[in-house]
Amino acid sequence: MARYYDIDDILAEEEMIPVIFQKSATGVGLLDPGSETNNVEQGAKVELPFWLAQELHARHAVTISIPPCFNQMTRKEIQADAASVDLRSRCSYFYELGCKIAPVVGDRTIGSFLLYAFTNRYKEVLSKAYTTASAVSSKHLTLLTKEESHLYESVRSSMGAFKKWRMGGSRFETAAILGRKRKPVE
């Protein structure tokens, strides 16, 4: 938990991760929807939130499998055409979860995969933010992850501010602190 009060960080850690129990666990049958008892047997495959899977992995109770959003099929789709892949439906916090899960799983290829995906999709996000109208952009926004959506909104906002400035908006703005009067020094 690097950013304790960050809602996006909390939601990223709520993503479901496939795990395999290495030990039997008593009293946690609710974690396994297929379990008829209140126990989880050794070797049971269950999906848990990342924050719980990470803690259980640190205690050697489970092994974490690579989530489906980072599997070979997704990697091939992104290598073919990164901009058209709907990452939001696979994992809303794709990049953040990838950065968190890579050291836990021990897969060194996830980092380079995330870098490749982000650099290719980054170009598309910027070009769409600069060139598209609002009606067209809503279709494009449904494909973006939360991180990419924040980037897209930032670009749109900065472009609006730039256009306002360029068209003759106020050239200089007085800082709020400069408007205050100082007390005379005696």
Side-chain angles (χ1 to χ4, degrees), residues 120-175:
N120 286 323
R121 290 174 65 92
Y122 178 78
K123 295 172 193 173
E124 280 296 314
V125 169
L126 287 181
S127 70
K128 296 281 187 198
Y130 285 129
T131 59
T132 59
S134 300
V136 178
S137 67
S138 63
K139 180 184 175 195
H140 177 68
L141 283 174
T142 60
L143 302 176
L144 302 179
T145 65
K146 294 291 183 182
E147 296 93 347
E148 292 168 340
S149 296
H150 290 308
L151 176 65
Y152 179 85
E153 294 301 325
S154 297
V155 170
R156 296 285 292 181
S157 166
S158 66
M159 279 302 297
F162 175 72
K163 286 179 182 178
K164 179 182 172 185
W165 173 81
R166 190 170 181 198
M167 294 303 199
S170 58
R171 297 285 182 194
F172 297 104
E173 292 183 18
T174 307

Side-chain angles (χ1 to χ4, degrees), residues 49-137:
F50 176 73
W51 63 268
L52 179 58
Q54 186 179 21
E55 285 298 318
L56 291 174
H57 179 73
R59 297 175 186 185
H60 305 290
V62 299
T63 56
I64 297 178
S65 304
I66 296 176
C69 60
F70 300 109
N71 65 12
Q72 289 301 321
M73 186 179 79
T74 304
R75 292 177 191 219
K76 287 179 182 177
E77 288 177 7
I78 287 178
Q79 288 173 350
D81 187 13
S84 65
V85 178
D86 184 7
L87 288 180
R88 178 177 276 185
S89 67
R90 296 173 194 206
C91 179
S92 295
Y93 295 91
F94 181 77
Y95 300 107
E96 196 163 338
L97 181 65
C99 289
K100 289 175 183 256
I101 203 165
V104 176
V105 175
D107 187 355
R108 293 178 182 238
T109 61
I110 290 178
S112 59
F113 168 63
L114 290 173
L115 180 64
Y116 177 81
F118 185 74
T119 53
N120 286 323
R121 290 174 65 92
Y122 178 78
K123 295 172 193 173
E124 280 296 314
V125 169
L126 287 181
S127 70
K128 296 281 187 198
Y130 285 129
T131 59
T132 59
S134 300
V136 178
S137 67

